[in-house]
PDB file of all heavy atoms in Angstrom:
ATOM      1  N   MET V 155      95.707  -3.326-350.572  1.00  0.00           N
ATOM      2  CA  MET V 155      94.243  -3.437-350.541  1.00  0.00           C
ATOM      3  C   MET V 155      93.801  -4.857-350.873  1.00  0.00           C
ATOM      4  O   MET V 155      92.856  -5.391-350.267  1.00  0.00           O
ATOM      5  CB  MET V 155      93.629  -2.445-351.530  1.00  0.00           C
ATOM      6  CG  MET V 155      93.800  -0.981-351.130  1.00  0.00           C
ATOM      7  SD  MET V 155      93.193   0.165-352.404  1.00  0.00           S
ATOM      8  CE  MET V 155      91.452  -0.271-352.451  1.00  0.00           C
ATOM      9  N   LEU V 156      94.471  -5.484-351.828  1.00  0.00           N
ATOM     10  CA  LEU V 156      94.127  -6.860-352.176  1.00  0.00           C
ATOM     11  C   LEU V 156      94.423  -7.806-351.013  1.00  0.00           C
ATOM     12  O   LEU V 156      93.618  -8.699-350.707  1.00  0.00           O
ATOM     13  CB  LEU V 156      94.910  -7.277-353.420  1.00  0.00           C
ATOM     14  CG  LEU V 156      94.581  -8.665-353.979  1.00  0.00           C
ATOM     15  CD1 LEU V 156      93.124  -8.750-354.384  1.00  0.00           C
ATOM     16  CD2 LEU V 156      95.488  -8.976-355.168  1.00  0.00           C
ATOM     17  N   ASP V 157      95.552  -7.600-350.349  1.00  0.00           N
ATOM     18  CA  ASP V 157      95.899  -8.434-349.208  1.00  0.00           C
ATOM     19  C   ASP V 157      94.898  -8.227-348.065  1.00  0.00           C
ATOM     20  O   ASP V 157      94.461  -9.192-347.414  1.00  0.00           O
ATOM     21  CB  ASP V 157      97.315  -8.101-348.737  1.00  0.00           C
ATOM     22  CG  ASP V 157      97.748  -9.005-347.592  1.00  0.00           C
ATOM     23  OD1 ASP V 157      97.945 -10.214-347.834  1.00  0.00           O
ATOM     24  OD2 ASP V 157      97.885  -8.500-346.460  1.00  0.00           O
ATOM     25  N   GLU V 158      94.523  -6.966-347.825  1.00  0.00           N
ATOM     26  CA  GLU V 158      93.542  -6.677-346.766  1.00  0.00           C
ATOM     27  C   GLU V 158      92.185  -7.268-347.116  1.00  0.00           C
ATOM     28  O   GLU V 158      91.461  -7.800-346.248  1.00  0.00           O
ATOM     29  CB  GLU V 158      93.425  -5.161-346.587  1.00  0.00           C
ATOM     30  CG  GLU V 158      92.506  -4.710-345.462  1.00  0.00           C
ATOM     31  CD  GLU V 158      93.034  -5.041-344.085  1.00  0.00           C
ATOM     32  OE1 GLU V 158      94.210  -5.456-343.967  1.00  0.00           O
ATOM     33  OE2 GLU V 158      92.272  -4.900-343.109  1.00  0.00           O
ATOM     34  N   ASP V 159      91.808  -7.193-348.373  1.00  0.00           N
ATOM     35  CA  ASP V 159      90.535  -7.769-348.799  1.00  0.00           C
ATOM     36  C   ASP V 159      90.534  -9.281-348.622  1.00  0.00           C
ATOM     37  O   ASP V 159      89.535  -9.865-348.178  1.00  0.00           O
ATOM     38  CB  ASP V 159      90.276  -7.416-350.259  1.00  0.00           C
ATOM     39  CG  ASP V 159      88.923  -7.894-350.732  1.00  0.00           C
ATOM     40  OD1 ASP V 159      87.911  -7.261-350.356  1.00  0.00           O
ATOM     41  OD2 ASP V 159      88.879  -8.905-351.455  1.00  0.00           O
ATOM     42  N   ASP V 160      91.637  -9.928-348.955  1.00  0.00           N
ATOM     43  CA  ASP V 160      91.732 -11.378-348.754  1.00  0.00           C
ATOM     44  C   ASP V 160      91.621 -11.738-347.268  1.00  0.00           C
ATOM     45  O   ASP V 160      90.988 -12.724-346.906  1.00  0.00           O
ATOM     46  CB  ASP V 160      93.049 -11.901-349.323  1.00  0.00           C
ATOM     47  CG  ASP V 160      93.062 -11.893-350.839  1.00  0.00           C
ATOM     48  OD1 ASP V 160      91.963 -11.825-351.436  1.00  0.00           O
ATOM     49  OD2 ASP V 160      94.162 -11.948-351.426  1.00  0.00           O
ATOM     50  N   ARG V 161      92.262 -10.911-346.409  1.00  0.00           N
ATOM     51  CA  ARG V 161      92.190 -11.180-344.972  1.00  0.00           C
ATOM     52  C   ARG V 161      90.756 -11.065-344.464  1.00  0.00           C
ATOM     53  O   ARG V 161      90.273 -11.929-343.704  1.00  0.00           O
ATOM     54  CB  ARG V 161      93.085 -10.202-344.223  1.00  0.00           C
ATOM     55  CG  ARG V 161      93.188 -10.460-342.718  1.00  0.00           C
ATOM     56  CD  ARG V 161      93.952  -9.362-342.020  1.00  0.00           C
ATOM     57  NE  ARG V 161      93.252  -8.089-342.107  1.00  0.00           N
ATOM     58  CZ  ARG V 161      92.208  -7.757-341.313  1.00  0.00           C
ATOM     59  NH1 ARG V 161      91.754  -8.623-340.413  1.00  0.00           N
ATOM     60  NH2 ARG V 161      91.636  -6.581-341.455  1.00  0.00           N
ATOM     61  N   LYS V 162      90.046 -10.036-344.871  1.00  0.00           N
ATOM     62  CA  LYS V 162      88.664  -9.866-344.436  1.00  0.00           C
ATOM     63  C   LYS V 162      87.768 -10.974-344.999  1.00  0.00           C
ATOM     64  O   LYS V 162      86.850 -11.447-344.327  1.00  0.00           O
ATOM     65  CB  LYS V 162      88.147  -8.495-344.874  1.00  0.00           C
ATOM     66  CG  LYS V 162      88.810  -7.347-344.130  1.00  0.00           C
ATOM     67  CD  LYS V 162      88.241  -6.009-344.591  1.00  0.00           C
ATOM     68  CE  LYS V 162      88.871  -4.853-343.819  1.00  0.00           C
ATOM     69  NZ  LYS V 162      88.354  -3.531-344.238  1.00  0.00           N
ATOM     70  N   SER V 163      88.046 -11.385-346.216  1.00  0.00           N
ATOM     71  CA  SER V 163      87.260 -12.469-346.817  1.00  0.00           C
ATOM     72  C   SER V 163      87.466 -13.775-346.053  1.00  0.00           C
ATOM     73  O   SER V 163      86.513 -14.521-345.792  1.00  0.00           O
ATOM     74  CB  SER V 163      87.640 -12.646-348.289  1.00  0.00           C
ATOM     75  OG  SER V 163      87.298 -11.494-349.038  1.00  0.00           O
ATOM     76  N   ARG V 164      88.719 -14.041-345.668  1.00  0.00           N
ATOM     77  CA  ARG V 164      88.981 -15.254-344.891  1.00  0.00           C
ATOM     78  C   ARG V 164      88.287 -15.192-343.541  1.00  0.00           C
ATOM     79  O   ARG V 164      87.752 -16.208-343.045  1.00  0.00           O
ATOM     80  CB  ARG V 164      90.495 -15.433-344.711  1.00  0.00           C
ATOM     81  CG  ARG V 164      91.230 -15.839-345.974  1.00  0.00           C
ATOM     82  CD  ARG V 164      92.651 -16.314-345.656  1.00  0.00           C
ATOM     83  NE  ARG V 164      93.442 -15.253-345.028  1.00  0.00           N
ATOM     84  CZ  ARG V 164      94.172 -14.376-345.692  1.00  0.00           C
ATOM     85  NH1 ARG V 164      94.210 -14.424-347.028  1.00  0.00           N
ATOM     86  NH2 ARG V 164      94.886 -13.464-345.047  1.00  0.00           N
ATOM     87  N   SER V 165      88.251 -14.016-342.926  1.00  0.00           N
ATOM     88  CA  SER V 165      87.557 -13.858-341.646  1.00  0.00           C
ATOM     89  C   SER V 165      86.063 -14.103-341.798  1.00  0.00           C
ATOM     90  O   SER V 165      85.438 -14.772-340.961  1.00  0.00           O
ATOM     91  CB  SER V 165      87.819 -12.452-341.094  1.00  0.00           C
ATOM     92  OG  SER V 165      87.095 -12.246-339.899  1.00  0.00           O
TER      93      SER V 165
END
Side-chain angles (χ1 to χ4, degrees):
M155 292 175 62
L156 184 61
D157 183 69
E158 184 68 10
D159 184 75
D160 288 342
R161 185 187 64 80
K162 291 181 178 180
S163 296
R164 288 193 299 270
S165 176

